[in-house]
Amino acid sequence: MACTTILVGKNASYDGSTIIARNEDSQQGEFTSKKFVVVKPEDQPRHYRSVISHVEIDLPDDPLQYTAVPDAVNKQGIWGEAGVNEANVAMSATETLTTNERVIGADPFVELTPARGKEGEDGYEPEIPGGIGEEDLLTIVLPYIRSAREGVERLGALLEEYGTYEMNGIAFSDVNEIWWLETVGGHHWIAKRVPDDAYVTMPNQLGIDEFDIDDALGDQEEHMCSADLREFIDDNHLDLAVEPVSPLNPRDMFGSHSDRDHVYNTPRAWYMQRFLNPYDEVWDGPDAAHRPDSDDIPWARQPERKITIEDVKYVLSSHYQGTPYDPYGTLGDESTRGSLRPIGINRQSQLAVMQIRPYRPESCRSIQWIAYGSNAFNTLVPFYANVDVTPAYFADTTDHVDSGNFYWANRIIAALADAHFAATSSLIDRYREKTGGLGHRMLAAADEQVVRLDTNPVDLDDLADEEEAVDDVRDADAIIAAVRNPEVRGILAAANQTLSDQVKTETDALLSDVLYTASMNMRNDFHLSDN
C-alpha cells in the first residue's frame, strides 16, 4: 500500500498542536472507497480475526470509543487507517516501508501458510496464520491506549508476539508527543519521538536515520525498540558503518537504496522539504545539496516557519509544481514530466490529518481533517473527533458511484479536471479556499460554545510550569470523563453536520462547473454557429 506521511511537532506547528497526517493510496490499478465513522465500545470486537492473514487475537474488554476511516466495503478487512480515541490519542496506520534482503533473511515475514489437503485425510496440514498488518493495526491498538507512548508499547508487544507480514511505519500522537514506529523484519521494531521543533517526511521508505540504541534499551526518553535489537543487529551483521558510530543509522541497516526508490520514494521527501525549507539549502541544479534521488534526505528537519494545516494539505497534494517533473506543468520536457511518482496521485483513497490542540478543552481538543480521492483536486474538511456519529455525506460511502457522497463526488471531479487541468485549476483553488474558510469558521464557533459550557478549563497560559501543565493535560481518566459529556458531543456533532452540509453545497457547485468546463472542451465541438 503506497502512502505519504508528514508529522509536525508541537513547536513546529502554527498553533502549538501536534499534527500527524498521511495519504492512504490504493495499490496500483485499484481504487478503494472510504468512509469516516465512529466505532463505539459495544461495536468493537472482543475476538479479532484478520481477513488477510487469518491471525486471531483476543482483545481487552474495555475499549475506548474512536474514529476511523475504514474501507467502505470490507472485502479485505477493516483497514481503519486513521483515528482519534476518547483519551485524545491519535494513530495513523500505516506507511508501507521498504527493506532489504538481509533483514528479511534474518527475520522473515510471518505470512499465512494455507492448509494442504483435506481435513481427515492422510497428509492433511492445517493452515498456519500469518502476522498482523495494515488491515488490523488501528482496530487492535487505538481503542486501548491512553498516550502516544502507550501506543508504541502496545503495538511493539503485539509485533513481538504475532509478527507481521509486511514493513510498516505507524504514527501515534497526543497533545504533547508524537512517536513514529517502524517495523524491522517479521518481529523487530524501532520507534523514535519526533522532535518538538521539527517535522518528519516519510515516503514509503524506512526513514529513521539516527537512533540511540542505548536510550532505547535504557531510559527510553526519545527511543524505544524490541528487546533483542542489539543482538539482532550484531548476529546478522546489519550495521554497515565503517567505524563504530553512535547514534546508529537504521536507514542504512534496515532500509533500501534502490533505483526504484529514486523515482518512487526519495523525490517525495525532496519536494516536501524543498517547500517547507526553501532557503536553507540549494534544492535545484548541479549545486543542489539534495536532489530527488538523494538517499540522505533528513528524516526530521526544523522548518523555516511554523507549519499550518494548509501547508500539510499542499505538500500531501503536490505533483512537483514549479519543477520539470510536474505532469501538469510547462517546465522540462516529456522525459521529465511525469517521470517521478507524485505525492498527490490519482489513486489516493483518503487523507487524514489529526490535530490535537493544547489550547482547547479536552472535550473539543481533537480534530480529524478528512479528504477523499486525488488530493490535487479535493479539499480538506475538519471534523470534531469527540462525537457519537459522523455526517452521512462522509460516512455512507459504498462501492457504487454516487455523486451524493463526498468520496465519489471527488473521484468524478478529479477524473474530469485532470484532462482540463489549466481550465479547471482556478475553480478548484477557489473551492478549496472557500471550504477551508468554512472549516476554520466552524471550529471557532463550536469551540466558543464548548468553552462556555466548560466550568473548569485547562488554561496552559496560566500555569507557570509547563511540565505541570503537561501532567495535568495527560490525566487519562480525567480526559475520558470530560470527553464523554453528552451535551458537548451533541454540539460538536451538530457543528460537523452543518459543515458537511456546506461542503456538499460547494462540492456540488464545483462538480457542475468542472463538468461544464470539460464539456465545452470536448474534441467533437464545432465552431460554426447553429443559429
Side-chain angles (χ1 to χ4, degrees), residues 12 22 26 63 107 140 145 157 175 247 272 318 357 395 417 437 450 466 483-484 518 521:
R22 179 177 58 92
S26 299
D107 183 11
I140 64 176
I145 59 176
V175 73
M272 287 191 281
S318 60
R357 308 175 299 167
V450 173
E466 183 177 350
V483 164
R484 288 178 175 172
N521 287 283

Side-chain angles (χ1 to χ4, degrees), residues 435 438 442 497-507:
T435 53
L438 291 171
M442 180 276 282
Q497 185 60 56
T498 297
L499 180 60
S500 175
D501 294 342
Q502 294 172 332
V503 169
K504 184 179 188 306
T505 297
E506 297 302 325
T507 305

Side-chain angles (χ1 to χ4, degrees), residues 409-463:
N410 279 283
R411 278 266 175 253
I412 296 168
I413 289 167
L416 291 169
D418 175 85
H420 306 280
F421 187 85
T424 60
S425 59
S426 61
L427 298 172
I428 293 166
D429 286 344
R430 288 197 293 270
Y431 161 76
R432 188 175 290 138
E433 183 178 90
K434 185 169 184 179
T435 53
L438 291 171
H440 283 290
R441 190 182 312 152
M442 180 276 282
L443 294 177
D447 284 348
E448 184 178 351
Q449 291 187 65
V450 173
V451 168
R452 287 201 298 265
L453 288 174
D454 195 344
T455 58
N456 187 28
V458 175
D459 188 345
L460 298 183
D461 293 333
D462 290 344
L463 293 172

